[in-house]
Each structure stands twice: as C-alpha cells, then as structure tokens.
Amino acid sequence: MDTLMSLADGFHTALTFENLLLALLGTFLGTMMGALPGLGPSNGVAILIPLAFTLGLGATPSLILLTSVYYGAMYGGRISSILLNIPGDEPAMMTCLDGYPMAKKGLAGEALSLSGIASFVGAFIATWGLILLAPQLVKFALLFGPAEYFALFALAFATLGGVSSTNQAKSAFAAMLGLGLSVIGVDTQTGVPRLTFGEVHLYDGLDFLVAIVGLFALSEVFIFLEHRHGSATGAGHKVSVGRITPPWKMVKETTPTMLRSSLLGFVAGVLPGAGASLGSFISYSMEKKLVDRKNTFGTGDPRGVAAPEAGNNAAAGGALVPMLALGVPGSGTTAVLLAVLLSLNITPGPLLFQNNPDVVWGLIAALFIANFMLLAMNIPMVGIFTRVLMIPPRILMPIVAMVSFVGIYGISGSSFDLLVMIGFGVMGWLLRKLDVPLVPIILGTLLGNTMENNLRRAVTISNGDYWTLVGSPLAIGLWTVAIVGFILPLFLSRFVKARMHERGDDEGAISD
Amino acid sequence: MSDRIFGAVGLCLALFYGWATLQIQESFLSDAVGPKTFPLVIAVILGLASLVILLRPDPDPVWPSLARLAEILAAVVVMILYAEFLPVVGFLIATAFASAYLTWRLGTGPLQSVVVGVATSIGIYVIFKLVLGLSLASGPFGF
C-alpha cells in the first residue's frame, strides 16, 4: 500500500510538462542512439550528461532524461540488428541471430513490431521488479556500517569483471586504475594534496565526467578512424519494412517466451557485473534450450527475436535496482547514471529513498511513462528510425566527437579538461585494443572516494583496528561473496565469453 | 607480446604510483589510516595484476598498420589543436575545421567534407547555443 502511495506521488512529480517533454526527448534520442551502430547506451548517456548538467536541470528531470535514453537505447539496438545484421549496441547482438533471418524472409516489419512488444514487456516487468525489490534492498542496506560498505564496494569491483571479462587480471587492473585516478586531488580528511605533482588543475581531482566521455565516446571515434569503415553501414542497403503490426498469432505464441525472458533478464540485471548484454544472452540461450524442439532458432524464429529483446530491456531495469538502493552500479550505463547523481550532489543508497523520495519515485513513474512512449515510437513510428540508419558513420562520428567537446567545455570552460578528455580517449582506445574492460575504470573513479572514506571511517571508529573490516557476520558474508565472485569466473567465464563472442565484435566493446 | 609490454608498463606504473604515494606530505593532524594507506593498497594490487598480465599474456590483438596508426595520431593532434584554439578563434570556426578534418579522414570527399564540417558546426551552434542556451567558446568575432 505504502509503495502504491509513493508511486502515486511519483506520478505527480513526473507528470509535469517539463518532465514529460524530457522523457519524450530522451526516448527519441535513446532509440536513435541505440539504432546507430557505434553509439550505445553508455556512450549515449555519457554524451548527454554534460548537457543535462549545463542546462541546469534538477536531479529528477536529469535522471528522467537520461534513464529514458537508457531505456530507449535498449529498444533501438534491435532495429539495425534486424534490418542490417549489425547490432546497434552490444545488448542487441543476440537479436541478430533470428531477427536478420526473419527480415530476409520478408518479415522485417513483423520482427520489428514483435521485438518492440517484447521490449515493452521486458521493461514493464522490470520496472515493477524495481518497485518491489528496491525498497527491500534498502531495508537491508540500512544495516550497513562503514565496514560493510567498504566490503560491498570491494564486492562490486570483484564481481564487475566477472562474467563479461575473459581475464580477471585485466579487470582488476582496470578497477585499480580507476581507484588510483580517484585518489588524485586534495585528501578530503587531512587536506594534503595527493599525486597532483603541483598541478593546480588537479587539486580538486579529476572530473569523472571528463573521464567517462573520453573513455566511452572519444575512444569510439578512434576505433572508427582505425578501421575507417565509414561507409560499411547504412549506405547501399535497401531497407524495406513492410507491415509493422505483428500477427496476433505470433504475439500469442511468443508470450510465454517474453515472460520467462523478462524474469531471467531482470535477475541478470540485478546481479552485479552482469548487465543487459548478459541478460539478452542468457535469455536467448535458455529459450533455445527450452523450446527449440525443431531447431528453428537461428533461422528466423519469432521466439528467438522476442527472448533477447525482453531479456535486455528487463536487465536494464534490473540494473537500476542496486544502483539506486545501494549506490553500487552493476553495469556500464548505470555507472554513468551514478555519475549524474554524484554530480548533482545526490548520494544514492538507502538515504536516497528517505531524503529524496521524490527523485526515486518520480524516476520510476517516468520510466513507466517513457515505456509507453517507446512502445508508440517503436511500432507505428519505427520507419523514422530506419531512416536514421542511413546516416553513415563518417558523418556521425565527427558529430559525436564535437558534441563531446561541447559538453565538457560547457561544464568547465577550460581547455585543460578537453586535453584530459583527449588523453582518456586515447587511453580508452588502447585499453580496448588490449581487451581491458572500461567499466571498472569508470566505477573506480566514481566510487574511489566513498570507498576510501568508508575504510577510514571504519578503522577510525575502532581506534585503528583493521580487523573491524571483517568484524561482523554481514561484512564476512560480503567478503566471501566478493572472493567467490572474483575466483569463480576464472573457471566459468571462458565458456560464457567464448559463446558470446561467437558473434563478431572483436573490439572489446564497451559493455552496456 | 603486446600483453607482456602492457604488463611491464603496468608494473612501472604501479611502482611509480607507490613512489608518488610515499612522497605525500602527511599532515600533523591525521586519522588512524592516513592519506597513504589506500593508495598504497591500490599500488600493490595494480602491481600484482600487471605481473599476472605479464606472465600469462592473452593472444595479441590485431594492431592497425602503421598508416592507420599515423591516422589516429593525426586525429589526436587535430583534437589537441582544437582544444587549444577553441578559446582563441571561437566555437564556429574551430569546430568547422575539426569536424571537416575528421569527416574527410573517415572517407568523405574533400569538398563534401568542408560542407559537412560547416554544417555540423552551425547545426551544433544553433541547437546548443541558440536553442538550449549553452555557453560555447566565443572567439574574437563573438561566435
């Protein structure tokens, strides 16, 4: 009952003209970014953060804009998967498997509308999951002291590389690199400058927005420059969509698939280190095992389109749960969303639900609204987005680069930050070549200060006794999960990753 | 081989990081942990991770040819010039040059690139400055 009341308040917050407009803008931009190969949810959101920031939007409106982009990108990714056999973003990789064969059979319109419905179902169920699960998690998180929080952060880093990275040493390297960067600047507790080498610009630390935009958006530009596959996409393809309503029979057939995949995707999203790509991957694999009796998966089976789409949209909603309730994001895009909250001086976690219920519930209500907007945009109006695919990357990528520069310059107005961003862009390119995941770096720069503060608080409270870090059953439990979460993938990941990578994409793409 | 070099560089980075941490001037008013402990732990784990990468390297990635590498380097130089000249010549001119260059290098014809570059610059200017009211760098001519 309480929840419904809060939700009603949330709708009250979300249903203002400004917020509805932002949700509409966000869903539109998001679908477009998702559809365009080379722009995914994480770099899409990253580019828009500085904008939301410099436009002086408040916390709720910015979050509404950016999560609408996130949900939208999850919808949009399927469009190019189905029509061009090129995933628009990483989570849409699995949709190629059955979506493109369907399009070749002349069922492109059916595939698009069916996957639109599947996306809707996934996102809808996940948003309800968010409503039910997040408050429970918050109650649990209220038991946490500084030592437990420190352990929780350690858990987040240990599991983040997890299933999505083949090499745990490299994800540990990335996490430490991020944490190391967060140390730069004046120490918050004693006021001494650390690792600034006398550079005044570094005294208040590196701006994580600069790091995010550099690593995610600029590195993509360099990847394109390296391959110069400027005209590879879009041009030369004749895209005919046909009818854009799915036959009723097809929807009925795929309903159980959608429901199962949504649940599975949601769970995958909540787990740390998984995210939407994994959500769509396991949904597809499970569906294939369960219902593929005639071996039709991979040849244009509608269920093979519905499963990954419901899965990745549900995972997107699921990934918001730990981000909002604990302040620990489990995927790339939620890490970027955390950056937004932190720049707006809002600390996610249990206190967010107590101190800023309007932000949380306004956001949740906006997600419902955005989801309906997306359904409308992605079925009757999908034609608009198929035209967007005609923009070749050789024109798109410079725009991405320039918008990144504009955003960062808009925040700080300093050339120094632009130079740092270019530095991060080059670093991002190099690390992606070496298959080092970028998300732990971002998470490290974001959480480093909080993590250190919790460590120091815990030890100070216990008068310098470090054993306090493992002083409660809860802390011990978290450390155990962290250690298991770090070690287990050493055995499992080779298998999962190898199968995920059967579908091209050798660039170690940014995970969602 | 790439990973061995990468691991070695990482190891140097860890050593440097540890050394730089030890250079931190401690304040006379310090908490029980102090400003050095956390970065030192980071340096140690960074070093260990680099060592593992060094000793158990992954297969080499496909590196671009020297020409493509030069291409990326040139783009970086253009971007640095862009960052430096942005406050000097103003947003419109700098952006037109930079995006025309990038468009050209990504495979558009020279004349078309100029058109696209100018259009991109004006488009961003209109949307961000005139519609959204963002402050962009204004050069000597006020745009």
Side-chain angles (χ1 to χ4, degrees):
Chain A
M1 219 40 235
D2 242 16
T3 314
L4 288 182
M5 285 294 289
S6 316
L7 189 59
D9 284 343
F11 272 102
H12 190 72
T13 315
L15 284 171
T16 63
F17 181 68
E18 188 198 16
N19 288 344
L20 286 177
L21 201 67
L22 285 172
L24 191 66
L25 182 73
T27 46
F28 180 78
L29 285 176
T31 313
M32 206 158 90
M33 287 172 172
L36 288 165
L39 264 181
S42 47
N43 39 23
V45 175
I47 294 174
L48 288 181
I49 296 179
L51 284 185
F53 210 47
T54 33
L55 285 176
L57 295 179
T60 320
S62 329
L63 267 188
I64 288 177
L65 173 69
L66 296 170
T67 39
S68 305
V69 173
Y70 182 28
Y71 268 37
M74 290 293 157
Y75 270 80
R78 77 192 205 286
I79 298 175
S80 53
S81 296
I82 291 172
L83 295 177
L84 307 176
N85 201 21
I86 301 164
D89 48 22
E90 214 198 337
M93 226 149 69
M94 306 307 291
T95 313
C96 291
L97 296 183
D98 277 282
Y100 187 61
M102 261 183 96
K104 275 207 297 206
K105 283 197 258 176
L107 296 172
E110 281 85 346
L112 280 175
S113 53
L114 179 71
S115 54
I117 293 174
S119 298
F120 176 80
V121 172
F124 189 76
I125 291 180
T127 312
W128 273 110
L130 172 65
I131 292 175
L132 298 176
L133 190 61
Q136 305 308 317
L137 206 58
V138 164
K139 279 184 201 144
F140 178 60
L142 285 173
L143 303 172
F144 284 24
E148 284 80 10
Y149 264 109
F150 183 69
L152 178 70
F153 288 135
L155 186 154
F157 285 114
T159 51
L160 192 64
V163 261
S164 54
S165 160
T166 31
N167 191 333
Q168 288 293 68
K170 284 185 177 170
S171 48
F173 180 90
M176 290 308 127
L177 197 61
L179 286 175
L181 290 170
S182 79
V183 169
I184 295 173
V186 172
D187 178 26
T188 46
Q189 310 218 349
T190 58
V192 294
R194 298 193 288 181
L195 305 164
T196 54
F197 308 105
E199 175 68 66
V200 188
H201 288 292
L202 291 176
Y203 269 47
D204 49 354
L206 283 173
D207 190 341
F208 41 74
L209 292 181
V210 176
I212 289 176
V213 177
L215 283 177
F216 281 178
L218 272 195
S219 71
E220 194 71 41
V221 177
F222 291 132
I223 294 271
F224 268 85
L225 269 171
E226 179 194 341
H227 294 290
R228 201 200 258 188
H229 41 191
S231 53
T233 48
H237 281 269
K238 186 140 170 43
V239 181
S240 64
V241 173
R243 65 175 284 182
I244 43 174
T245 44
W248 190 233
K249 192 170 139 273
M250 203 186 263
V251 176
K252 229 162 63 186
E253 256 176 33
T254 50
T255 305
T257 300
M258 286 183 203
L259 295 178
R260 272 195 302 265
S261 305
S262 303
L263 286 179
L264 200 62
F266 178 73
V267 174
V270 173
L271 293 178
S277 310
L278 192 81
S280 69
F281 171 72
I282 56 174
S283 300
Y284 184 86
S285 324
M286 187 195 72
E287 233 18 66
K288 191 171 156 70
K289 282 221 174 70
L290 271 181
V291 297
D292 187 19
R293 293 203 187 79
K294 293 180 199 143
N295 264 328
T296 49
F297 269 53
T299 59
D301 190 315
R303 289 169 303 184
V305 176
E309 276 309 309
N312 75 26
N313 283 272
L320 289 173
V321 174
M323 198 276 278
L324 289 173
L326 301 175
V328 178
S331 70
T333 316
T334 44
V336 179
L337 289 171
L338 178 69
V340 184
L341 284 175
L342 293 179
S343 341
L344 292 162
N345 255 333
I346 290 179
T347 316
L351 289 178
L352 176 66
F353 282 72
Q354 282 174 4
N355 300 346
N356 309 75
D358 53 319
V359 174
V360 179
W361 293 103
L363 170 66
I364 292 174
L367 289 179
F368 276 117
I369 298 168
N371 202 18
F372 278 101
M373 289 177 176
L374 280 165
L375 187 67
M377 241 177 237
N378 275 278
I379 295 188
M381 289 155 65
V382 76
I384 300 173
F385 297 105
T386 57
R387 252 166 237 131
V388 168
L389 289 178
M390 301 310 216
I391 303 177
R394 63 193 159 85
I395 292 173
L396 178 74
M397 290 327 279
I399 298 180
V400 170
M402 290 302 132
V403 172
S404 313
F405 279 109
V406 167
I408 294 300
Y409 194 82
I411 294 179
S412 64
S414 88
S415 290
F416 180 78
D417 278 355
L418 294 185
L419 294 176
V420 175
M421 181 176 84
I422 298 168
F424 272 107
V426 176
M427 192 170 94
W429 176 75
L430 208 61
L431 291 176
R432 278 169 78 174
K433 291 303 282 184
L434 291 164
D435 209 19
V436 176
L438 298 182
V439 177
I441 303 180
I442 296 298
L443 207 58
T445 51
L446 286 177
L447 296 182
N449 283 322
T450 332
M451 187 170 178
E452 185 180 7
N453 285 341
N454 276 303
L455 167 71
R456 289 165 80 165
R457 212 170 291 150
V459 176
T460 306
I461 290 171
S462 68
N463 282 322
D465 177 14
Y466 279 88
W467 287 107
T468 183
L469 296 176
V470 285
S472 73
L474 196 55
I476 295 174
L478 288 167
W479 281 110
T480 317
V481 177
I483 293 167
V484 172
F486 187 75
I487 294 176
L488 202 62
L490 292 178
F491 305 103
L492 287 180
S493 76
R494 234 154 266 165
F495 173 70
V496 177
K497 185 77 176 182
R499 297 208 9 213
M500 271 176 90
H501 266 215
E502 276 169 17
R503 300 246 6 113
D505 190 68
D506 45 11
E507 224 60 297
I510 305 159
S511 94
D512 53 274
Chain B
M1 199 55 213
S2 303
D3 263 11
R4 294 204 191 266
I5 297 171
F6 174 50
V9 172
L11 211 54
C12 293
L13 182 71
L15 287 175
F16 171 72
Y17 197 82
W19 171 81
T21 301
L22 292 176
Q23 304 304 306
I24 296 172
Q25 294 278 323
E26 277 203 51
S27 139
F28 60 93
L29 263 178
S30 187
D31 55 334
V33 179
K36 289 183 185 174
T37 316
F38 190 66
L40 277 181
V41 174
I42 293 173
V44 170
I45 304 181
L46 192 66
L48 287 177
S50 306
L51 206 61
V52 175
I53 296 171
L54 179 79
L55 295 177
R56 300 190 50 193
D58 287 340
D60 270 358
V62 185
W63 289 104
S65 64
L66 219 54
R68 305 308 309 165
L69 217 54
E71 191 76 68
I72 292 173
L73 204 68
V76 171
V77 171
V78 168
M79 285 181 188
I80 292 174
L81 289 177
Y82 175 73
E84 292 293 349
F85 276 97
L86 188 60
V88 183
V89 299
F91 174 82
L92 269 183
I93 297 171
T95 308
F97 271 105
S99 58
Y101 173 81
L102 287 176
T103 312
W104 175 50
R105 290 323 303 163
L106 281 166
T108 318
L111 202 67
Q112 208 192 345
S113 301
V114 174
V115 177
V116 171
V118 172
T120 305
S121 179
I122 293 176
I124 293 179
Y125 188 81
V126 168
I127 295 175
F128 290 96
K129 172 97 182 199
L130 302 182
V131 179
L132 298 176
L134 213 70
S135 67
L136 301 176
S138 49
F141 315 109
F143 52 77

